[in-house]
Amino acid sequence: MNKQKLATKIWESANKMRSKIEANEYKDYILGFIFYKYLSTYEVQKLKEQGFTQEDIEALDEEDAEIVKYVREEVGYFIAYKDLFSTWLKMGKDFDVSNVTDALSAFNRLINPSHKKVYEGIFNTLQTGLSKLGESSASRTKAISDLIHLIKDIPMDGRQDYDVVGFIYEYLISMFAANAGKKAGEFYTPYEVSLLMSEIVANHLKDRTEIEIYDPTSGSGSLLINIGRSVAKHIDDERNIKYYAQELKQNTYNLTRMNLVMRGILPANIITRNGDTLEDDWPYFDETSPTETYNPLYVDAVVSNPPYSQHWDPSNKETDPRYARFGIAPKAKADYAFLLHDLYHIKPNGIMTIVLPHGVLFRGGEEGEIRKNLIEQNHIDAIIGLPGNIFFGTSIPTIIMVLKQKRENTDILIVDASKGFIKDGKNNKLRASDIKKIVDTLAVRDDIDKFSRKISREEIRRNEYNLNIPRYVDSSEGEEKWDLYASMFGGIPMSEIDELCEYWSAFPGLQEALFTKGEGPYTELAVSNVEQTVDEHPAIKAFISNFKSAFGDFDSFLKSELITNMATLNISKEEDILNTAIFTRLDSIPLINRYEAFQLLHDEWEKTSVDLEIIQTEGFDAVKKVNPNMVIKKKDGKEEEVQEGWSGHIIPFELVQRTLLVDEYEALKQIEGRLAEISSDYAEILDSLTEEEKDSSVTNESNDAFVAKEVGERLKEIYADVDTQEIKALKAYSTLSKKADKLAFISEHDDVVWSNMEPNKDGTYAKKAVNAYLAELQSSFVFPEDSFEAKVVRVSKLMAEEKEAKAKAKADAAALHIKTKETIESLSDEQALELLEQKWIVPLTESIKQLPNSVIHVLVDKIKALSEKYAVTYSAVESEIQETESTLTALINELNGNEYDMKGLSELMALLKGE
């Protein structure tokens, strides 16, 4: 089971198990147990690396002071054998809630003093919340037992260094956030927003060898982790990244520490604090003596997603160095207080990104003064408007503000990214291509129509320091324009054709081939088949040819990167390498949207990177492995996990079947195709039934399906009514009992084909043979094609065919499934490499090949739309209306009636004439 499936399975089960407990609370329990499992596994793993045997592990006891000292120095804490997560699992029915409470208390007592800041009190939320898992000790024990068995399969044995546990932890946090409503904002920044901020920061820090990053409202720590991951793509040693985190709420602060530790970050690189960011500046002081030890730390990057428009106490903050230069935020809205705190802690060459509500861009009063000072002192580097409804628990529009201490330029880049997203359930979500476009735009500070613009300080001053995005970037599509003359008299305005100038520039001569050469400002479509004219034009053919040439070696490039170098390539950096290769090839190709190409790459890379992580961790033989396919099924009213066949560890079964087991695969598909045709045939016959025929007891109550039993009964009745001369004779023969009578009947009746039956030795025919022949004659009777009887016969035959086809499909599918399993397990290296190529490379290259066709399709649609827009003129419509009115008037004049009829007709005539 891959990490996505495992994470989904755990979430679905956990969401059911939490019952009435709020998602915001239950997350602390399951995430706490996952972390405890991680620490237990990590301790055992480290000790085994030091030569400890299983017997030594089982001897771990708190009473052994020497071993406690050794383990604490090695891993930073001590967990006795009886308290290990794995021991809980082995206890079975002997497990009790007290085992957990005792273990958590012992953990807090046995932390290495040098690791106190990282681990002390980290399980407090879990420990105090256990009472909510049940009203009695027995019910709490069961709830905890269910929880620890739910997460027992999460791999944490060190071999899974592609971070399965981290992925699952982050996934569960996001899912709990999605279900926690407004409280989600307290602990979670959506991954895509976090990634956007991370990439902006990483691009700024990419040339540094040692980096310190800080989040003063750290929540679950996911924002810090994503920053670290993005920065790590540009740094050789991830141990040179130091993480500072501060969080006000105790339970969320614990999440921060857990998340950072489980990502394999060295405890020495984790500096955290549970405190009020606005009330007490940090980092950095010794909490035992804040005033005497105050020595502010300046870091390379500060990132934050603080609570929006929160109340705070600005009293006595005038001399606080964080705010003294710019002003004090109003007590009802702490947004600028958080921003100024972040800005204060970045180095002169540092950077900060912060998520804030739109109001900080235009609200007046104290906020207006702070904004003015930030602009005049040249700290605001960029403002990014995000899509609405992108955060859990709030639909308000938000921004990311990017600030620096020292800047060479004095303008501010405004980016309206509010239109780039996809719907994801109730929320909007940034796509990878949206993030890439924003980051690239910030890197080169581009002016892009309807997306971004650099604003001078002079223009901002003229606008009285109002930074509201629509003042500077208009991302609206605008209303469709209509040309009055063309609407009245026809023709296509040249001004609207000129709006397609980028196409005419890219495809010389195409405009002239499509439109007539007029002298005035209007023209006409010169061809009847736009698609054919476009497809056959030399400029279009050259465009496609140039694209093919640019990507001619792309397949071999991908094979070299992904296949040849799969064991050694740097997975975290490879997507950028592949993207650069695509963008470089597109440099000479006009019109193609490079971010559309990037999205195609990203969609495939998300799958490919997981495979590469597995191969680099487990070795190439992982390609030749299969896993039990586990599914949840109900049995006796209870859900349980059962195996249902197998699935490829890396290679999908269907890919193997389509590639190496073609004959069996195609044969099965043919049967499945026939079954689909039979379903269509049923629907066709149902549609043809009259209401009377539907009431004839061959369909179900809703008349949308045939009932096999009823069809069979009706068929017997239909056949019983069939009566031909031969059938009559056979029925008469079957009433005879004497041999002589039978022989005489046979000789007298040549209307029966007696040779179609097997005779007895005495020349007569047995009743069984006669009845069988009767049934054969009746069933072979041909009814009129559209008769009800013919339809029932057809349905009966379809049902018999369907039954046989389903049985064969089931047997063939089972046989093919086993053969596929055996094929994967016996793959040669060459076959395995070919399958990886089919999985990783072919889908990407095939989708990229379609990019030119997409451009051409859009152009054709635009041309057709222009032609159709003015195809029917207002004059023609008016003329048609007048003709219709004239015809109607003439018809009315011919009508006669009584006095009241004529008055009604007179009034109708007046309305038609507009009187």
Side-chain angles (χ1 to χ4, degrees):
M1 189 180 298
N2 64 33
K3 59 186 179 182
Q4 178 65 59
K5 287 184 178 178
L6 182 56
T8 303
K9 170 195 162 186
I10 292 172
W11 157 250
E12 289 173 349
S13 298
N15 199 35
K16 290 176 184 175
M17 286 165 56
R18 71 182 174 90
S19 186
K20 296 179 181 179
I21 301 176
E22 291 290 333
N24 188 44
E25 291 184 33
Y26 195 76
K27 79 174 189 310
D28 294 324
Y29 311 144
I30 187 167
L31 297 177
F33 278 117
I34 290 175
F35 184 61
Y36 191 84
K37 179 180 189 293
Y38 172 85
L39 294 179
S40 294
T41 308
Y42 181 75
E43 177 181 293
V44 171
Q45 175 195 330
K46 293 297 287 184
L47 293 178
K48 286 185 175 179
E49 289 174 3
Q50 299 297 323
F52 277 59
T53 65
Q54 182 60 32
E55 188 177 341
D56 295 331
I57 301 292
E58 293 177 6
L60 293 174
D61 191 289
E62 185 181 346
E63 300 302 317
D64 189 337
E66 188 176 342
I67 195 65
V68 170
K69 181 176 183 295
Y70 177 83
V71 173
R72 285 180 15 164
E73 289 176 351
E74 284 295 317
V75 298
Y77 54 86
F78 175 84
I79 300 176
Y81 175 76
K82 69 180 180 62
D83 294 332
L84 289 172
F85 187 93
S86 57
T87 305
W88 291 347
L89 293 172
K90 292 174 185 175
M91 293 175 73
K93 293 181 179 179
D94 293 330
F95 174 77
D96 184 78
V97 61
S98 62
N99 296 117
V100 176
T101 54
D102 292 348
L104 297 182
S105 296
F107 177 86
N108 211 42
R109 193 172 59 246
L110 298 170
I111 299 168
N112 187 329
S114 64
H115 289 63
K116 283 274 186 184
K117 294 293 290 180
V118 176
Y119 294 121
E120 189 171 37
I122 202 165
F123 290 113
N124 284 358
T125 310
L126 173 59
Q127 197 163 2
T128 57
L130 292 178
S131 60
K132 296 184 180 181
L133 293 176
E135 295 180 356
S136 65
S137 176
S139 60
R140 288 194 290 275
T141 295
K142 183 182 183 307
I144 295 169
S145 180
D146 289 344
L147 257 180
I148 64 176
H149 278 85
L150 174 63
I151 64 175
K152 67 182 174 62
D153 291 328
I154 300 177
M156 301 182 183
D157 57 3
R159 291 183 299 107
Q160 308 289 356
D161 58 6
Y162 46 95
D163 205 13
V164 176
V165 62
F167 175 87
I168 291 172
Y169 201 81
E170 194 75 19
Y171 178 84
L172 291 176
I173 289 175
S174 71
M175 294 306 293
F176 278 118
N179 285 265
K182 291 184 178 180
K183 293 182 179 179
E186 297 175 1
F187 63 87
Y188 189 68
T189 301
Y191 172 74
E192 291 73 25
V193 177
S194 175
L195 183 60
L196 171 58
M197 298 170 76
S198 303
E199 291 295 314
I200 293 169
V201 169
N203 187 64
H204 181 77
L205 303 179
K206 61 186 176 184
D207 298 322
R208 308 193 189 180
T209 56
E210 293 184 355
I211 295 167
E212 293 176 307
I213 52 180
Y214 168 43
D215 185 347
T217 55
S218 60
S220 67
S222 59
L223 185 50
L224 268 181
I225 287 166
N226 285 319
I227 296 280
R229 187 181 293 129
S230 291
V231 168
K233 292 190 293 187
H234 307 288
I235 198 168
D236 292 331
D237 190 348
E238 294 182 33
R239 292 175 298 180
N240 290 341
I241 305 173
K242 190 166 282 189
Y243 300 80
Y244 293 86
Q246 178 163 246
E247 171 56 42
L248 176 62
K249 298 194 175 226
Q250 174 72 44
N251 63 331
T252 311
Y253 169 66
N254 292 337
L255 284 184
T256 291
R257 293 187 290 168
M258 292 179 189
N259 214 355
L260 290 169
V261 169
M262 283 198 296
R263 297 302 175 131
I265 299 169
L266 297 175
N269 284 349
I270 300 173
I271 301 95
T272 63
R273 177 175 180 261
N274 179 204
D276 188 330
T277 291
L278 301 182
E279 194 60 36
D280 298 312
D281 185 18
W282 184 88
Y284 195 80
F285 56 78
D286 184 338
E287 292 201 38
T288 59
S289 180
T291 306
E292 287 75 13
T293 60
Y294 182 72
N295 183 22
L297 178 76
Y298 303 105
V299 297
D300 299 284
V302 180
V303 292
S304 64
N305 176 22
Y308 306 145
S309 303
Q310 179 174 279
H311 280 70
W312 77 303
D313 183 6
S315 306
N316 305 315
K317 296 292 193 299
E318 293 81 2
T319 58
D320 190 313
R322 296 175 293 173
Y323 314 123
R325 290 173 55 209
F326 304 99
I328 307 297
K331 65 180 180 180
K333 291 181 173 64
D335 302 313
Y336 272 110
F338 283 111
L339 182 149
L340 294 177
H341 169 87
D342 295 2
L343 179 64
Y344 179 72
H345 281 284
I346 58 174
K347 296 175 182 177
N349 61 351
I351 187 173
M352 65 162 281
T353 59
I354 184 171
V355 184
L356 293 169
H358 257 269
V360 300
L361 300 178
F362 52 80
R363 292 192 298 242
E366 298 100 320
E367 291 186 305
E369 189 63 25
I370 294 172
R371 189 168 59 248
K372 174 183 176 181
N373 289 333
L374 286 168
I375 292 167
E376 289 296 345
Q377 295 183 45
N378 201 32
H379 291 299
I380 301 176
D381 190 63
I383 295 165
I384 304 160
L386 298 174
N389 205 30
I390 202 167
F391 286 87
F392 296 121
T394 178
S395 60
I396 65 169
T398 51
I399 64 162
I400 293 175
M401 197 179 289
V402 183
L403 297 96
K404 297 175 182 176
Q405 284 287 11
K406 301 289 184 182
R407 299 198 312 138
E408 294 180 2
N409 49 300
T410 59
D411 54 39
I412 296 175
L413 180 69
I414 307 286
V415 178
D416 187 345
S418 62
K419 303 297 189 292
F421 62 87
I422 56 170
K423 292 295 293 181
D424 184 24
K426 297 177 182 178
N427 287 76
N428 297 326
K429 179 179 174 181
L430 292 169
R431 295 163 294 186
S433 53
D434 300 322
I435 295 169
K436 175 72 174 167
K437 183 178 180 181
I438 297 167
V439 173
D440 287 352
T441 302
L442 261 66
V444 296
R445 301 185 73 78
D446 252 352
D447 284 354
I448 301 173
D449 184 42
K450 294 187 177 296
F451 185 71
S452 64
R453 187 160 79 88
K454 295 186 292 293
I455 312 301
S456 68
R457 195 178 298 173
E458 288 70 25
E459 183 176 354
I460 296 170
R461 286 169 179 156
R462 290 196 300 272
N463 282 315
E464 298 179 332
Y465 301 97
N466 187 320
L467 293 177
N468 199 15
I469 292 173
R471 279 180 176 259
Y472 305 101
V473 179
D474 180 11
S475 64
S476 63
E477 292 300 321
E479 296 181 1
E480 186 179 10
K481 296 180 294 185
W482 284 80
D483 184 281
L484 181 59
Y485 178 89
S487 298
M488 296 298 297
F489 303 107
I492 302 173
M494 288 300 299
S495 60
E496 294 188 33
I497 291 174
D498 290 342
E499 290 177 4
L500 303 177
C501 59
E502 61 176 349
Y503 291 99
W504 313 137
S505 175
F507 306 133
L510 181 59
Q511 179 182 346
E512 292 76 9
L514 288 166
F515 301 99
T516 58
K517 189 175 182 181
E519 295 181 2
Y522 298 90
T523 185
E524 299 281 352
L525 199 61
V527 298
S528 58
N529 191 323
V530 174
E531 289 99 333
Q532 184 178 349
T533 303
V534 171
D535 288 343
E536 295 178 355
H537 195 274
I540 295 292
K541 290 182 177 180
F543 170 68
I544 294 173
S545 176
N546 290 339
F547 180 88
K548 287 180 178 178
S549 177
F551 282 86
D553 66 337
F554 193 55
D555 278 34
S556 58
F557 167 77
L558 290 175
K559 288 177 189 176
S560 174
E561 283 292 315
L562 302 180
I563 304 295
T564 306
N565 301 325
M566 73 172 77
T568 57
L569 65 81
N570 187 321
I571 295 172
S572 65
K573 298 180 180 181
E574 186 64 26
E575 185 178 15
D576 286 343
I577 293 172
L578 300 181
N579 179 64
T580 299
I582 292 174
F583 277 22
T584 301
R585 286 165 171 77
L586 289 176
D587 282 343
S588 60
I589 310 295
L591 298 176
I592 290 178
N593 185 334
R594 57 174 53 204
Y595 294 105
E596 184 181 343
F598 174 76
Q599 189 66 52
L600 294 174
L601 166 65
H602 180 79
D603 290 345
E604 293 302 326
W605 179 247
E606 281 198 313
K607 296 173 278 187
T608 302
S609 60
V610 173
D611 293 345
L612 285 166
E613 288 167 344
I614 295 172
I615 290 170
Q616 288 190 357
T617 302
E618 300 177 12
F620 185 68
D621 280 347
V623 181
K624 306 174 186 179
K625 291 180 180 178
V626 295
N627 300 324
N629 184 46
M630 307 306 293
V631 296
I632 303 295
K633 287 196 171 183
K634 273 194 174 182
K635 187 177 181 181
D636 299 328
K638 291 184 179 180
E639 288 187 342
E640 60 178 40
E641 190 175 37
V642 297
Q643 182 179 349
E644 195 172 83
W646 305 86
S647 61
H649 192 43
I650 289 178
I651 304 296
F653 269 37
E654 187 177 2
L655 177 58
V656 176
Q657 293 163 0
R658 286 191 287 106
T659 308
L660 301 178
L661 302 171
V662 180
D663 292 342
E664 297 92 330
Y665 177 76
E666 290 297 335
L668 180 59
K669 287 298 172 187
Q670 194 169 354
I671 297 173
E672 292 172 348
R674 178 55 192 149
L675 286 169
E677 289 174 1
I678 290 173
S679 294
S680 298
D681 291 344
Y682 284 146
E684 182 185 330
I685 298 170
L686 275 169
D687 288 341
S688 72
L689 295 179
T690 65
E691 290 303 317
E692 184 180 351
E693 289 170 343
K694 286 179 181 178
D695 292 337
S696 61
S697 299
V698 292
T699 60
N700 59 9
E701 290 184 6
S702 55
N703 290 327
D704 58 4
F706 291 104
V707 181
K709 182 180 178 182
E710 303 300 336
V711 169
E713 294 296 327
R714 195 76 172 95
L715 193 63
K716 287 180 183 178
E717 295 173 10
I718 289 171
Y719 283 156
D721 292 338
V722 173
D723 211 12
T724 65
Q725 187 59 41
E726 187 175 15
I727 289 172
K728 287 178 182 177
L730 282 170
K731 286 180 178 178
Y733 175 83
S734 64
T735 63
L736 302 174
S737 57
K738 295 181 180 180
K739 175 183 175 183
D741 293 341
K742 289 182 178 181
L743 290 173
F745 190 92
I746 292 169
S747 63
E748 293 170 2
H749 284 270
D750 56 2
D751 49 2
V752 175
V753 184
W754 300 101
S755 60
N756 285 340
M757 295 179 286
E758 188 71 31
N760 296 327
K761 290 181 180 180
D762 62 1
T764 61
Y765 294 89
K767 190 172 184 178
K768 183 178 180 181
V770 172
N771 287 339
Y773 186 38
L774 267 172
E776 183 183 337
L777 287 173
Q778 289 172 326
S779 64
S780 62
F781 185 81
V782 179
F783 296 96
E785 185 177 351
D786 292 328
S787 67
F788 175 67
E789 291 81 2
K791 293 171 185 176
V792 174
V793 170
R794 187 181 172 202
V795 168
S796 177
K797 289 179 178 179
L798 286 171
M799 285 180 167
E801 183 187 359
E802 182 182 45
K803 183 178 180 181
E804 184 180 342
K806 281 183 174 178
K808 182 164 177 53
K810 183 178 180 180
D812 288 358
L816 180 56
H817 188 81
I818 295 301
K819 191 169 183 179
T820 307
K821 172 183 180 292
E822 293 168 350
T823 301
I824 291 177
E825 291 173 328
S826 60
L827 287 171
S828 66
D829 287 353
E830 291 73 21
Q831 288 174 320
L833 291 172
E834 173 61 28
L835 288 167
L836 288 177
E837 185 179 333
Q838 289 292 319
K839 185 182 181 186
W840 295 347
I841 296 174
V842 172
L844 176 58
T845 55
E846 287 301 313
S847 59
I848 284 180
K849 283 177 185 176
Q850 299 307 311
L851 290 172
N853 296 332
S854 177
V855 170
I856 295 166
H857 180 73
V858 169
L859 173 60
V860 168
D861 283 351
K862 287 178 180 289
I863 295 167
K864 285 183 175 181
L866 270 180
S867 174
E868 293 166 2
K869 184 176 180 181
Y870 299 107
V872 180
T873 65
Y874 179 81
S875 300
V877 173
E878 181 65 22
S879 176
E880 187 177 337
I881 291 171
Q882 289 176 359
E883 288 179 14
T884 303
E885 286 179 353
S886 177
T887 302
L888 183 58
T889 301
L891 291 171
I892 291 173
N893 286 333
E894 295 176 5
L895 296 175
N896 290 306
N898 60 33
E899 176 186 356
Y900 295 101
D901 290 336
M902 300 312 293
K903 282 185 178 180
L905 288 171
S906 176
E907 182 64 19
L908 178 59
M909 290 284 287
L911 288 172
L912 289 172
K913 292 177 180 178
E915 296 176 0

